[in-house]
């Protein structure tokens, strides 16, 4: 999949539940986390796949709340940028958790 292919958000799992809780502000957009590799994320958005990093403000205001595969995030990405910046994490509707 390349950056020119358009994806339908509902095909990625987007629903009214997430839309009601999204607090993304322009120019932020929404994407779904496809994979996590240390400090880089592979995201799926309406324009295809791209890489992103956590914004410094995200690390400062949400310590310990790192995005996981399947999460929805608000990102800032300008045309021509190689990487987007994750600004915030949307609430999780479900999750799997290991026993402590």
């Amino acid at each position: 999949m390349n950056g020119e292919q358009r994806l339908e958000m509902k095909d990625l799992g987007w629903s009214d539940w997430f839309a009601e809780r999204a607090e993304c502000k322009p120019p932020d957009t929404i994407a779904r986390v496809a994979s996590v590799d240390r400090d880089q994320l592979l995201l799926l958005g309406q324009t295809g796949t791209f890489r992103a990093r956590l914004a410094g403000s995200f690390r400062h205001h949400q310590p310990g709340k790192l995005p996981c595969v399947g999460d929805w995030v608000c990102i800032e990405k300008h045309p021509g940028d190689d990487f987007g910046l994750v600004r915030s994490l949307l609430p999780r509707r479900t999750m799997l958790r290991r026993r402590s």
Side-chain angles (χ1 to χ4, degrees):
M1 187 178 308
N2 62 34
E4 297 174 7
Q5 184 175 356
R6 294 209 43 95
L7 298 171
E8 292 294 326
M9 298 303 280
K10 67 178 181 171
D11 293 337
L12 298 174
W14 186 254
S15 67
D16 291 339
W17 190 91
F18 292 110
E20 291 168 2
R21 288 155 179 83
E23 296 180 4
C24 301
K25 299 175 184 140
D28 292 349
T29 187
I30 297 179
R32 191 142 201 200
V33 178
S35 72
V36 178
D37 184 18
R38 297 183 185 170
D39 66 339
Q40 291 186 18
L41 303 162
L42 180 64
L43 303 178
L44 298 168
Q46 290 182 325
T47 58
T49 59
F50 57 95
R51 297 214 172 266
R53 292 188 175 118
L54 298 178
S57 59
F58 180 93
R59 291 176 190 259
H60 179 71
H61 294 293
Q62 297 186 32
K65 286 190 174 184
L66 299 176
C68 298
V69 172
D71 282 341
W72 290 96
V73 292
C74 294
I75 59 106
E76 180 180 344
K77 185 173 184 298
H78 301 284
D81 286 352
D82 291 334
F83 281 83
L85 288 175
V86 175
R87 297 287 180 193
S88 64
L89 177 66
L90 274 67
R92 294 174 177 141
R93 186 170 180 188
T94 61
M95 74 174 146
L96 297 175
R97 181 179 267 175
R98 291 183 182 171
R99 288 185 183 179
S100 298

